[in-house]
Amino acid sequence: MPKTDLSGPGWLFVPADRPERFAKAAAVSDQMVIDLEDGVREADKETARSLLRRSEFVPTRACLRINGLSTAHSERDIELARELGFGSVMVPMAESHQPFTQLAGFSVVALVETARGVVESDRIAAHPNVDALALGTADLQLDLGARDTKGTAGVFEDLLAFARATLLFAGRAHHVPVIDSVHATVADDAGLRRAAAIASAYGMDGKLAIHPKQIEIIRGEFAPSESEVAWAATVVSEAESRAAGAFVLDGELVDEVIIRRAESVLARAH
């Protein structure tokens, strides 16, 4: 089966038992993640699988979040993914000991949601069957026992920064994309914008979303600004017109590293 292209910053979850939402989710997002795990109640898992079999969508352009590999549901979820021809699957609660080899043929997104998963992210990213890492903070916060109280608002941000950085280093070391966690408060556009801007500044490749309206904000924060694009275009143009390897532009030394950074900005702009 063909693997799924995992590029694009806007990853949108949609519950597997709400097929009427699939068309819109696919249209507005870069990656539609059909959710058989947390988005579907335990009693409705089989119904959700049946609905998927009868639904209209392009499975090679969607990702299926299966239930955890240690659960009773995972085998049926994987069978369904193969039956319908999904190109990509997302594995929740990903840790390095899990049998990712069961997922050969899929593009596998390892969703890291536990303290052990964060610590083991380098080994997860190194697995030959893993094609991307993603961060899940709700379960991670629960696993850590971390909490925000009236007097400690924002303390979890420190732990989140560590998790983001750990996954990012692992992903870059093993050349797999890294996707940031959801912003769970749908009405909080300012909070989402800040979280997406931080993830983009880190160098992450995208962000998970739970509502279609979040995708535009995520894309906006991951896209380079007009000033960045103008700077990058100038650097590349000057580099192409000069014989010297390094030169000074507007008081800044431009060498091979700066040129590659400018080329990366232009690539993200298109």
Side-chain angles (χ1 to χ4, degrees):
M1 71 184 71
K3 287 191 172 188
T4 299
D5 178 6
L6 300 178
S7 61
W11 292 57
L12 180 59
F13 282 116
V14 57
D17 57 358
R18 299 299 300 270
E20 72 278 8
R21 298 181 182 179
F22 291 174
K24 182 176 182 179
V28 303
S29 65
D30 299 299
Q31 302 288 338
M32 176 174 68
V33 184
I34 298 176
D35 188 9
L36 274 171
E37 196 219 12
D38 286 348
V40 178
R41 295 183 303 179
E42 182 70 21
D44 297 332
K45 302 285 189 185
E46 195 55 50
T47 299
R49 294 187 193 100
S50 297
L51 284 170
L52 274 179
R53 288 186 173 94
R54 303 196 302 270
S55 299
E56 292 186 8
F57 62 96
V58 182
T60 55
R61 298 183 61 187
C63 178
L64 181 66
R65 175 158 75 161
I66 63 175
N67 288 275
L69 294 177
S70 63
T71 69
H73 294 288
S74 65
E75 185 175 344
R76 279 171 289 174
D77 291 350
I78 295 169
E79 289 176 356
L80 178 67
R82 295 196 187 282
E83 173 190 335
L84 297 182
F86 274 90
S88 175
V89 294
M90 180 178 287
V91 180
M93 300 294 187
E95 296 176 350
S96 66
H97 67 280
Q98 292 171 344
F100 295 113
T101 51
Q102 293 180 5
L103 303 170
F106 295 109
S107 293
V108 175
V109 181
L111 182 59
V112 177
E113 305 179 90
T114 65
R116 179 174 177 174
V118 171
V119 171
E120 296 178 344
S121 58
D122 181 73
R123 293 169 61 190
I124 296 170
H127 196 288
N129 290 102
V130 170
D131 299 280
L133 298 178
L135 179 62
T137 55
D139 281 293
L140 178 60
Q141 185 170 4
L142 181 63
D143 190 41
L144 291 171
R147 57 196 179 96
D148 282 333
T149 64
K150 186 176 181 179
T152 63
V155 167
F156 184 59
E157 289 292 325
D158 294 337
L159 299 175
L160 178 54
F162 174 81
R164 278 174 169 152
T166 303
L167 262 67
L168 183 63
F169 275 90
R172 292 296 177 265
H174 298 287
H175 309 290
V176 299
V178 182
I179 311 303
D180 193 34
S181 59
V182 302
H183 186 74
T185 308
V186 174
D188 181 19
D189 289 355
L192 171 62
R193 188 169 286 108
R194 177 178 178 273
I198 290 171
S200 177
Y202 267 53
M204 301 180 89
D205 300 285
K207 188 168 180 64
L208 302 171
I210 55 173
H211 192 281
K213 77 168 194 170
Q214 295 181 318
I215 296 298
E216 183 177 356
I217 294 174
I218 290 170
R219 282 180 175 153
E221 294 303 323
F222 274 84
S225 67
E226 290 183 6
S227 61
E228 286 179 294
V229 173
W231 167 83
T234 300
V235 168
V236 171
S237 177
E238 285 290 331
E240 290 174 346
S241 68
R242 294 172 182 260
F247 57 93
V248 175
L249 178 65
D250 295 331
E252 177 187 16
L253 176 65
V254 176
D255 58 12
E256 185 63 28
V257 174
I258 301 299
I259 295 168
R260 291 205 308 269
R261 185 194 306 166
E263 290 171 341
S264 175
V265 169
L266 293 180
R268 287 193 294 118
H270 295 94

